[in-house]
Amino acid sequence: MKKQLGTGLGILALAIALTGCGGSPGASSSSASSPAASSPAASSSASSGGSSSSTSAGAAELKTASSSFGARVVAANGKSVYIFAKDAKDSGKSACTGGCATLWPPVTTTSAMPGVDGVSGTIGTIPTADGKMQITINGMPIYFYSKDEDSGDTYGQGVGGVWSLVSPSGSMVTPSSSSTPSGSAPSSSMGY
């Protein structure tokens, strides 16, 4: 816990230092809020369902929110993020490719050290097949679910028995018998 806290404080100090430096890090924060002015990587990330790259420098790309399943990690836009049970921890690659990646787009970033708020799991990145950086929590790649349209949606929880919301500590959120997903989207058997 102390190591994670120390790492988090180090990241925070680095983000504050970069924000105060001006130059290109400051320039990217104003252009990142406009999809038309963002970098090609940020634009393609946003078009694939990820929007974590639209945050300003030093802002949290991942944060926490409550749901009927308990506390969960969400992207800067408030959308739920998920982990895939078929991914191998610390493998450096995603097991979700092809049609899986269309239904479950990776949460990408343009930062080597994505900012977090309230997330205590270890944050990292891995390369995607198209050269972007996918965010990981505790060595597990994270994803959006294409059927989650609003920030409160949790339709991907439990899909195929292999998809799970992510707790702030980076573990899988396990549903209780009394919990039900938000909204009324049809369930999908496309667990991959």
Side-chain angles (χ1 to χ4, degrees), residues 32-91:
S33 62
S34 168
S38 62
S39 68
S43 295
S44 60
S45 170
S47 67
S48 68
S51 63
S52 60
S53 61
S54 67
T55 61
S56 60
E61 292 186 61
L62 298 176
K63 55 188 179 178
T64 61
S66 61
S67 74
S68 61
F69 298 106
R72 72 190 196 287
V73 176
V74 297
N77 63 359
K79 288 193 176 182
S80 299
V81 301
Y82 300 86
I83 50 179
F84 185 34
K86 293 183 180 182
D87 279 326
K89 182 177 178 173
D90 297 321
S91 69

Side-chain angles (χ1 to χ4, degrees), residues 91-94 108 125-136 141:
S91 69
K93 63 182 181 178
S94 168
T108 60
T125 61
I126 60 170
T128 63
D130 58 0
K132 296 176 185 147
M133 290 186 291
Q134 182 173 6
I135 300 176
T136 63

Side-chain angles (χ1 to χ4, degrees), residues 79-175:
K79 288 193 176 182
S80 299
V81 301
Y82 300 86
I83 50 179
F84 185 34
K86 293 183 180 182
D87 279 326
K89 182 177 178 173
D90 297 321
S91 69
K93 63 182 181 178
S94 168
C96 182
T97 59
C100 177
T102 301
L103 192 58
W104 299 91
V107 178
T108 60
T109 182
T110 58
S111 172
M113 297 298 286
V116 298
D117 181 13
V119 179
S120 60
T122 304
I123 304 300
T125 61
I126 60 170
T128 63
D130 58 0
K132 296 176 185 147
M133 290 186 291
Q134 182 173 6
I135 300 176
T136 63
I137 299 179
N138 293 346
M140 295 290 285
I142 58 173
Y143 308 85
F144 291 109
Y145 184 42
S146 62
K147 294 185 180 184
D148 285 349
E149 295 180 4
D150 296 318
S151 61
D153 291 348
T154 56
Y155 299 129
Q157 175 66 10
V159 170
V162 294
W163 291 96
S164 176
L165 293 165
V166 185
S167 75
S169 67
S171 62
M172 297 175 101
V173 172
T174 55

